Amino acid sequence: MPRRKFAWEKLSDDELLQQRLSSLRVTVEGTWLEDCVATLHEELDERGIRLRPHTWISSEWFSPGDVPGIAIPFYLAHPRLMKLEKKMMFDVEGGTWRECMAILRHEAGHAIQHGFQLQRRRRWQQLFGPSSKHYPRYYRPNPASRRYVQHLRLWYAQSHPDEDFAETFAVWLRPRSNWRTRYEGWPALKKLEYVDELMGEIAGKRPLITTRERVDPLSQLSQTLEEHYKKKQAFYAFTPPKTYDRDLSRLFSTDPRHHRSKPASSLIRRHRAQIRRLVARWTGENQLTLDAVLDDMISRCRELDLRAVGSEQKLVLDFTVLVTAKTMHALFGPSRRKWIAL
């Protein structure tokens, strides 16, 4: 099917940012997202689950309470918008088939919880906790915990009972996940076995809630893309502390004899994108946040007049390890990180 053409496709980034979200008029239908949703429905059908979450385009990923459906972010509906998302956020969440399906399975867990009101069951509450628990602004995950499955980044199951269920459901639903073997000996296995039992119980049954309501559809969002991204960037904004001097001075040289060597700031700038991607992959941290850390480190290298002496490959590797260690400390150290909602 040929892709639908839009007048805004050929606009510059600055011009596109002035467009209102409602004017984009993109849909799930006729895009690669339609195939992703169809695959999700096939997976549910294979498990005998009658509920088919309806989908629509909005500003972000979410499944509203008491609505058995899934909102998908607008940028995934068109390559031009994905390109802009990449520029503004350094990442395109859900931008690959694998990642999109992972998030869809997670959101389907929410939709099925809503459709069948599973959170009202006593056993559900005993295993996952009360759904009524307030969503925190911050959560502090324990990467070593075996009480939760591991599906989306940043140990998301640990953030709230609803997310714990959605993550557990996603692991259960994913084809060939071998969850019994993967989680053997983990307390999280009890949750997976309960989901397996629960899905067998509701198989073939009509959900209690069948509304096809679309919450915050793109057509009703009046903010411009620029306003949208300013808000999104502010959410991930990070002011890094200037505590890197000792580590940077150990890695790079302050010896006057090396004043003709390449500035460390130049080396970091040249490999910046690669370092940012690697650290994001290893830690799960958002690339926009990591970019702020790199900005600060580059500034400190410049102010300290640090020089890159030795093998460039080794220096880049050592610096990447340093940023990873600092990021892990920020995520799981005494301070608490920002809540990231899906």
Side-chain angles (χ1 to χ4, degrees):
M1 180 184 296
R3 193 176 72 225
R4 181 182 173 186
K5 300 292 184 180
F6 297 94
W8 46 257
E9 286 184 50
K10 296 184 179 180
L11 295 178
S12 67
D13 287 345
D14 288 341
E15 292 170 330
L16 184 54
L17 286 170
Q18 300 310 309
Q19 301 296 304
R20 296 189 183 279
L21 292 177
S22 57
S23 71
L24 298 177
R25 300 182 183 279
V26 290
T27 62
V28 172
E29 294 73 26
T31 72
W32 71 289
L33 295 171
E34 190 172 25
D35 293 333
C36 291
V37 173
T39 299
L40 173 67
H41 289 177
E42 288 172 4
E43 292 177 2
L44 294 171
D45 184 62
E46 289 174 1
R47 301 297 188 117
I49 300 173
R50 285 183 59 182
L51 191 153
R52 299 291 183 273
H54 61 293
T55 58
W56 66 96
I57 298 295
S58 187
S59 60
E60 60 182 341
W61 288 103
F62 66 94
S63 179
D66 292 334
V67 175
I70 301 170
I72 299 176
F74 65 90
Y75 57 81
L76 292 178
H78 197 282
R80 178 68 181 91
L81 299 175
M82 291 176 73
K83 182 179 179 181
L84 183 65
E85 176 78 8
K86 180 75 171 179
K87 176 182 178 180
M88 302 302 290
M89 301 302 298
F90 299 119
D91 191 21
V92 181
E93 187 178 38
T96 65
W97 177 276
R98 180 177 180 178
E99 188 178 18
C100 186
M101 289 305 305
I103 299 175
L104 279 173
R105 293 184 189 108
H106 171 98
E107 297 298 348
H110 287 308
I112 287 170
Q113 176 190 330
H114 301 154
F116 288 95
Q117 293 292 285
L118 301 178
Q119 72 278 3
R120 295 181 178 180
R121 297 177 177 238
R122 183 180 298 275
R123 182 61 174 158
W124 194 100
Q125 295 172 8
Q126 290 173 342
L127 286 171
F128 299 104
S131 178
S132 58
K133 181 180 178 181
H134 178 69
Y135 265 88
R137 289 187 60 197
Y138 306 92
Y139 73 100
R140 191 176 178 184
N142 174 10
S145 176
R146 294 190 167 195
R147 296 173 59 85
Y148 304 88
V149 298
Q150 297 175 359
H151 179 63
L152 297 181
R153 64 188 181 90
L154 289 175
W155 300 272
Y156 198 51
Q158 300 185 36
S159 62
H160 187 272
D162 286 357
E163 305 304 340
D164 189 7
F165 173 77
E167 288 287 83
T168 304
F169 175 86
V171 169
W172 172 84
L173 181 64
R174 184 171 67 85
R176 299 176 297 281
S177 67
N178 297 317
W179 54 267
R180 292 187 187 277
T181 302
R182 167 70 176 82
Y183 290 96
E184 183 179 2
W186 288 42
L189 184 60
K190 289 184 179 180
K191 298 176 182 178
L192 283 161
E193 290 173 339
Y194 172 69
V195 168
D196 188 52
E197 175 187 335
L198 186 57
M199 293 305 110
E201 180 183 332
I202 68 174
K205 293 184 178 179
R206 189 172 185 269
L208 301 176
I209 296 178
T210 58
T211 177
R212 307 294 284 182
E213 180 184 359
R214 299 184 174 195
V215 177
D216 292 337
L218 196 68
S219 60
Q220 295 180 12
L221 301 181
S222 60
Q223 69 264 42
T224 65
L225 284 162
E226 183 176 37
E227 291 167 341
H228 166 78
Y229 280 116
K230 281 184 177 179
K231 182 178 179 180
K232 191 171 183 178
Q233 289 170 346
F235 183 80
Y236 291 105
F238 172 64
T239 303
K242 297 185 183 301
T243 58
Y244 309 123
D245 292 9
R246 179 182 297 180
D247 295 305
L248 291 172
S249 295
R250 287 173 178 169
L251 182 58
F252 301 112
S253 177
T254 57
D255 193 323
R257 292 176 299 176
H258 297 143
H259 73 280
R260 293 184 181 276
S261 297
K262 183 179 302 180
S265 57
S266 298
L267 179 140
I268 298 172
R269 277 200 308 271
R270 185 163 64 256
H271 297 278
R272 180 180 192 147
Q274 174 192 357
I275 293 168
R276 190 179 62 227
R277 285 194 299 268
L278 285 173
V279 177
R281 184 192 308 166
W282 292 339
T283 66
E285 182 57 278
N286 183 272
Q287 288 199 47
L288 193 70
T289 304
L290 290 172
D291 206 59
V293 174
L294 292 175
D295 260 342
D296 189 64
M297 286 185 156
I298 289 171
S299 295
R300 295 307 298 155
C301 285
R302 189 182 301 115
E303 291 169 16
L304 296 171
D305 195 26
L306 297 178
R307 299 287 162 165
V309 179
S311 165
E312 181 167 324
Q313 182 178 6
K314 185 177 185 304
L315 286 172
V316 171
L317 176 60
D318 289 346
F319 180 76
T320 304
V321 171
L322 170 62
V323 178
T324 301
K326 290 293 184 182
T327 302
M328 293 300 286
H329 178 75
L331 286 173
F332 309 116
S335 61
R336 301 175 73 86
R337 65 163 291 108
K338 275 192 173 182
W339 169 260
I340 300 177
L342 273 181

